[in-house]
Amino acid sequence: MPTTARTVLFHEIGGPEVLRVEDVTVPDPAPGQVALRVEALGLNRAEALFRAGTYYYQPSLPASRLGYEAAGVVTAVGEGVTELAVGDPVLTGPGIEMGAQGVYAERIVLPETAVVRRHATVDAVTGAAAWLTYTTAYGALLETAGLKPGDHVLITGASSGVGTAAIQVARRIGAIPLATTRTEAKRQRLLELGAAEVIVTGETGAEAVAKEARRLTGGDGVEVIFDAIGGPGFRPLVGALVTGGAVVVYGWLDRRPAEIPWNWPVTIHTYANMALTTTPGGRRRSTAFLDAGLADGGFRPIIDEVLDGLDSIGDAHRLLESNAHTGKIVVRI
């Protein structure tokens, strides 16, 4: 029987102040769908961009939903659902279109393909901070860039959720992560997470970052760059690569145009996590990699702050946009 659930909506693009918590009807799951009770939400930079109208697709206004990543429990399944059952602890993520399917809510209904089983040892807050960050790092670094044991990888914006996950993914396979961060205050935390070296950028340009990365690698350069920034700094940053190295761009924090670098040969990849995780094989591989790391303790999602209740979502977005955090911000429902 359909019910209602408190749900975060926004009716115009803008800052955190546009977010509203409203009662929304939650239907019974149709064939191929599952109903979930949400226990925790993991915030991502993409959601702030989507709310502001600067993401790569636009919200469906008015009454757009928001959010990719949640941990919860299955409460009902539709006809034909075979992989999940009532009571299963789960995570959301693969293939969600936020405008219609956003997960910021007490209860949600999603396609079975957008939900994966949560490992039995993983609590909801940890789970909400894990799926998107680690599968993005896995897909970009291992499947796309081909990062190998002994390779150096330069991770820009390393204090973000994906950045901290990338440090751990690199360490897990025996690669050597070099991290960048804008402030000295985050250096020690990144070293504790496993960064071999931390480059504090401050107001330093990308050319200086590339020069320092080369110095730290004995003049050779890094095999892979994992870049969340783009913009005019992209071309000089790629100067950190070895000849024939690879750069993977997964974000555009600097929305200004980026030039193709001149130090050929170099391979440039762009990475969108949905391209991997919405395929059956990619979803299976990325989820298995995540589960293995969570089960043996190799992956430790970094959670900067946990806020309580949907009414805290505006404060959570303000914290997200302050860039003062390291790792993830989680809202517990």
Side-chain angles (χ1 to χ4, degrees):
M1 177 180 297
T3 184
T4 61
R6 299 182 78 230
T7 302
V8 175
L9 302 175
F10 61 106
H11 304 286
E12 59 183 324
I13 61 174
E17 70 279 357
V18 303
L19 300 176
R20 302 282 183 266
V21 181
E22 303 178 17
D23 288 331
V24 171
T25 299
V26 183
D28 294 332
Q33 292 183 331
V34 295
L36 313 179
R37 174 174 53 82
V38 176
E39 298 176 304
L41 305 170
L43 273 64
N44 297 282
R45 179 70 57 179
E47 290 139 34
L49 296 174
F50 189 67
R51 184 209 69 227
T54 55
Y55 200 43
Y56 74 92
Y57 65 92
Q58 291 297 300
S60 50
L61 301 174
S64 179
R65 300 179 67 117
L66 187 60
Y68 276 131
E69 197 167 16
V73 175
V74 176
T75 58
V77 300
E79 183 181 350
V81 172
T82 59
E83 298 293 321
L84 297 167
V86 172
D88 283 346
V90 291
L91 304 174
T92 69
I96 288 173
E97 191 286 311
M98 284 193 284
Q101 300 171 321
V103 301
Y104 286 10
E106 294 175 333
R107 293 180 181 271
I108 54 178
V109 175
L110 291 172
E112 181 184 17
T113 54
V115 181
V116 297
R117 188 175 284 104
R118 178 176 12 133
H119 195 277
T121 62
V122 178
D123 65 89
V125 169
T126 301
W131 188 86
L132 191 60
T133 52
Y134 286 96
T135 59
T136 297
Y138 162 80
L141 293 179
L142 275 61
E143 296 223 358
T144 303
L147 187 69
K148 299 178 180 62
D151 285 352
H152 288 85
V153 54
L154 180 63
I155 302 166
T156 66
S159 62
S160 68
V162 174
T164 56
I167 292 171
Q168 296 175 44
V169 167
R171 280 295 188 190
R172 187 169 183 83
I173 70 158
I176 305 163
L178 309 180
T180 79
T181 184
R182 290 191 298 176
T183 65
E184 183 67 35
K186 296 181 179 181
R187 178 197 292 273
Q188 188 57 39
R189 185 62 172 133
L190 293 173
L191 291 170
E192 292 168 357
L193 288 175
E197 301 283 354
V198 175
I199 302 170
V200 178
T201 62
E203 300 301 319
T204 301
E207 188 171 349
V209 173
K211 182 178 179 180
E212 178 65 2
R214 283 194 167 275
R215 186 189 71 80
L216 293 170
T217 55
D220 295 333
V222 302
E223 283 76 18
V224 174
I225 297 174
F226 187 43
D227 184 42
I229 301 171
F234 180 71
R235 180 173 64 80
L237 181 71
V238 176
L241 281 177
V242 301
T243 300
V247 55
V248 183
V249 185
Y250 75 98
W252 55 93
L253 294 178
D254 188 333
R255 295 178 61 82
R256 293 176 293 172
E259 292 184 1
I260 294 175
W262 300 340
N263 53 317
W264 299 351
V266 59
T267 300
I268 301 173
H269 302 277
T270 56
Y271 181 79
N273 204 40
M274 285 187 185
L276 174 71
T277 58
T278 54
T279 67
R283 175 176 154 173
R284 173 180 54 79
R285 294 190 303 274
S286 58
T287 302
F289 187 78
L290 169 64
D291 284 348
L294 291 174
D296 65 19
F299 293 160
R300 296 169 289 118
I302 307 306
I303 300 171
D304 188 273
E305 189 162 345
V306 179
L307 290 79
D308 285 308
L310 283 179
D311 292 320
S312 70
I313 200 68
D315 289 337
H317 269 242
R318 279 183 277 273
L319 178 58
L320 178 69
E321 293 186 317
S322 75
N323 295 317
H325 61 290
T326 297
K328 294 278 280 194
I329 298 161
V330 173
V331 173
R332 184 166 42 206
I333 307 302

